[in-house]
Amino acid sequence: MTKGLSLLTTTILTTSSVMAEEAWHASWIGTPEASTPNQWSCYRKVVQLEKAQGQAFARIAVDSKYWLWINGELVVFEGQLKRGPTPDDTYYDRVDLTKHLRKGDNTIALLVWYFGKHGFSHKSSGKAGLVFDADLDGKPLLSDSSWKAVTHPAYENTGEPHPNFRLPESNVRFDAQRDMAGWQNPDFDDSTWPTTTEQGKPPCSPWNQLVERPIPLWKDFGLKDYENAAELPTVSDGKVIKATLPYNAQVTPYLKIEGPAGQLIDLRMDNYSGGKAPNVRAEYVTREGIQEYESLGWMNGHEMHYTIPAGFKILELKYRETGYDTEFTGTFECDDDFLNRYRQKALRTLYITMRDTYYDCPDRERAQWWGDMVNEMGEAFYALDPRSNGLAKKGILELANWQRPNHTLYSPIPDGNWNRELPMQMLNSVGYFGFWTYYQYTGDIETLCAVYPAVKRYLSIWQLGDDGLVVPRKGDWTWGDWGNNKDMTILYNGWYYLALKGQLNMVKALGEDADVADIEAKMSSIENNFNKTFWTGKEYRSPGYKGQTDDRAHALAVLSGLAKPEQYDAIREVFKTQEHSSPYMEKYVGEALYMMRFENDAIARTKKRFKTMTDHHYTTLWEDWRIGGSGGGTINHAWCGGALTLLSQYGAGVAPVTPGYETYHVLPQMGPLKHIRTTVPSVKGDIEAELRNDADTFTINLVSPEQTTAIVGIPKRPDSSIARIEVNGETVWADGKPEDHDVSGICFNEETAHYVTFSVQPGQWGFRASLSRTE
């Protein structure tokens, strides 16, 4: 790798296309009215085209969300990302308009929702506005003072309770008596609408630089019937109507009803108070007669609750699910029903915590807490197609871009009303399981190069003490995990060492040789002092710590490599008796058990600790071990999904060896499982593997994608020896050594304490090992 790749010291935006700074010709425009929180505005423009378009793209930016219609057809459902690629700047969308335009007059209409307040995931610019910059086969269509715009009179504010302070969104109230019916359509008369006011050309304050959206527009699943549609009433009796969703989802509610004007309908999810705080809800005030309405602010839960006044005819109740545009291409099935059910819930929880950013939860906060994101990113590598990698990249770049002048990092970001550093979460983020793991699974050296200076600056503020161990930094919130019995001194040292390990890997990948010696010296200092300070002979315990033995601390000791194999049996006993970790840290306990090769224990502990929530009727996993527990205890926290990752990474044994899966391994640790079938959606293509662990044979059927080399291992058993290994029907190993063979694309790699391994090229491979029982 060329030296100096990472020497970027200025603010990073996002992608190379952004760095090119494509020129803007349109103006920021707004309505004549002053910007106020929860303001909804309508924009219209008619453009005449002499022919159908061969190519037409628009760049669109607003603060905060928009819906786009062309000739009355909905083209974009909820465009724009929440604001904050940096503390000052704004995202924009690039939208393909080609198939929506026609010869003659074309009506462009946008509904813009201005949040007008900060949140844990959004920094308000303080001013509503729109910029629309389109190239229609060389003909510009630009937002300027010729556009018409008006504040939509039907959108209003609800009374209390309002959403909690973490959310930038407001409740949505719509008074249909004040609606402008059909305003999006070509035949609507906008002659009374005022023209817009121009606010300046980008980049200009307060929106500043415009950064291209690095993730797809949302996937729109369309309006659908509820699961219990046949049981819903046709005439309301005034009681709450509970319409059931197939799973916990991000949805907007729809209704078609008939009744009198001026009546209030309440729309909220069963999860409205999820996490012990009011979230978002909606209200609809009726007009006379038959009417239909879709509330555009999304909510989430398992049931949509409609409170419709008695006597109203209910013609239709539906919902629209939208979400991150990715597919569930990663799969894992095994012969253990519990693990299959757990994984399905973990997958649902992962998907519902993805949208503008990775979320801790989709209800109370919708915030990019980076401890959560590290776990979620790892799950996505095994569950979702590679388009999901864009959300991880976005989060990584945002974290670096929001670094403060004193070199500290904090999350959640983007934000407008939070600035507290959680030091251990930040160490996890920039280190081995965060930034380095992203690079290992994607091979995205450009992003690693862009953010390394921020990593180096952050780790430079951490110091070693006279005892050779890290000096704990309190930061703004000394958070080690939910729950009790946290041995914080060991946790600090474990996370710091893992951060250094990630940094060392980064500098070697980037060719930053000048940084190696300093990093290695710090790591050596901790290696030389960790065990002599914390190991008692049977467990890890820091001097002065009075709580019960901390399972989390032992997990980090193993994962960092600071714990040695001769300590593993004692650590195993700790994991059998101590259960203090939250669902977030349980991922690291499970991984430590796999790394020590106690895979039976890893699976048994997962089944024990996650039994209550896996057996519960909810389709998602929880923040804490009980609903309403630590931190508010939401019912949808994807940090619970760590075992989804572990089952594929360790159970099936599929993981990259070199960045971007150029080389990967299949080294199964099946434990009690007899059968696994998995698809891993790598950046090189799908890896498909089926494993069978029978009494006298072990088989692996592998489909390996192009441009990869796979290291495939036949696991050894303590009660058996490997008599023979056949590949695609031909013997390649017998009597303890490799055999000559005519199978092309495969070669013997090595025999280790736990595997006999082979290197294979892309293609289909069938491995069959015959086992002989040992006395």
Side-chain angles (χ1 to χ4, degrees), residues 65 78 82 120-121 167 169 218 250 298 300 349-363 365-370 372-373 376 391 636-639:
K65 296 287 181 178
E78 195 200 297
K82 291 181 177 180
F120 277 19
S121 57
L167 297 172
E169 297 93 337
W218 309 143
Q250 300 173 1
W298 69 270
N300 84 283
T349 316
L350 171 63
Y351 187 63
I352 204 172
T353 53
M354 299 172 68
R355 202 171 177 99
D356 298 68
T357 64
Y358 275 112
Y359 297 149
D360 59 333
C361 56
D363 39 24
E365 299 182 35
R366 303 180 178 182
Q368 190 168 239
W369 290 97
W370 252 91
D372 303 64
M373 181 176 161
E376 292 166 335
L391 197 60
N636 28 228
H637 246 71
W639 71 5

Side-chain angles (χ1 to χ4, degrees), residues 224-242:
K224 294 184 178 181
D225 290 328
Y226 290 101
E227 295 293 285
N228 61 339
E231 303 165 14
L232 297 177
T234 56
V235 177
S236 177
D237 61 3
K239 296 179 181 178
V240 175
I241 299 170
K242 298 180 179 180

Side-chain angles (χ1 to χ4, degrees), residues 630-663:
S630 296
T634 80
I635 65 165
N636 28 228
H637 246 71
W639 71 5
C640 272
L644 179 155
T645 303
L646 302 181
L647 287 168
S648 292
Q649 182 181 359
Y650 291 96
V654 182
V657 175
T658 59
Y661 277 92
E662 288 188 6
T663 301

Side-chain angles (χ1 to χ4, degrees), residues 423-424 427 462-465 467-474 478-481 485-498 526 529-535 540-548 550 552-554 556-557 560 562:
M424 290 190 216
L427 290 172
W462 292 81
Q463 302 296 320
L464 297 179
D467 58 2
L469 298 169
V470 72
V471 177
R473 293 182 56 256
K474 291 184 178 180
T478 310
W479 189 90
D481 190 21
N485 300 300
K486 298 183 286 285
D487 196 336
M488 298 290 279
T489 303
I490 299 178
L491 293 176
Y492 269 113
N493 278 277
W495 284 126
Y496 179 63
Y497 187 89
L498 283 163
I526 295 175
N529 292 285
F530 187 86
N531 284 313
K532 73 179 185 181
T533 302
F534 302 129
W535 183 249
Y540 282 104
R541 178 173 288 268
S542 63
Y545 173 66
K546 304 300 183 183
Q548 297 179 40
D550 185 1
R552 314 169 190 84
H554 288 73
L556 296 189
S560 64
L562 294 167

Side-chain angles (χ1 to χ4, degrees), residues 504-662:
L504 183 62
N505 288 343
M506 291 179 211
V507 299
K508 290 179 177 179
L510 294 168
E512 293 291 334
D513 297 343
D515 293 345
V516 171
D518 181 60
I519 299 168
E520 289 183 337
K522 293 173 181 176
M523 294 177 72
S524 294
S525 179
I526 295 175
E527 291 162 9
N528 293 334
N529 292 285
F530 187 86
N531 284 313
K532 73 179 185 181
T533 302
F534 302 129
W535 183 249
T536 69
K538 64 176 183 178
E539 64 183 18
Y540 282 104
R541 178 173 288 268
S542 63
Y545 173 66
K546 304 300 183 183
Q548 297 179 40
T549 303
D550 185 1
D551 49 351
R552 314 169 190 84
H554 288 73
L556 296 189
V558 172
L559 297 176
S560 64
L562 294 167
K564 305 307 176 186
E566 56 268 24
Q567 299 167 272
Y568 286 177
D569 286 337
I571 294 172
R572 181 187 191 186
E573 293 305 311
V574 170
F575 289 148
K576 286 182 178 179
T577 58
Q578 305 298 320
E579 297 178 350
H580 306 299
S581 65
S582 75
Y584 162 59
M585 285 299 294
E586 191 64 22
K587 185 263 184 183
Y588 301 99
V589 174
E591 187 158 2
L593 284 165
Y594 273 111
M595 287 186 66
M596 295 188 295
R597 305 202 67 80
F598 299 135
E599 49 263 39
N600 288 53
D601 293 19
I603 289 175
R605 180 165 168 135
T606 295
K607 294 175 71 170
K608 178 183 179 183
R609 299 219 73 192
F610 286 94
K611 177 175 173 53
T612 299
M613 64 177 87
T614 301
D615 289 345
H616 196 277
H617 67 271
Y618 284 150
T619 62
T620 46
L621 302 173
W622 314 338
E623 180 177 10
D624 195 18
W625 300 111
R626 62 184 179 86
I627 298 172
S630 296
T634 80
I635 65 165
N636 28 228
H637 246 71
W639 71 5
C640 272
L644 179 155
T645 303
L646 302 181
L647 287 168
S648 292
Q649 182 181 359
Y650 291 96
V654 182
V657 175
T658 59
Y661 277 92
E662 288 188 6

Side-chain angles (χ1 to χ4, degrees), residues 8-22:
L8 293 176
T9 56
T10 57
T11 299
I12 309 132
L13 291 179
T14 52
T15 64
S16 57
S17 63
V18 171
M19 302 303 280
E21 294 190 4
E22 187 177 355

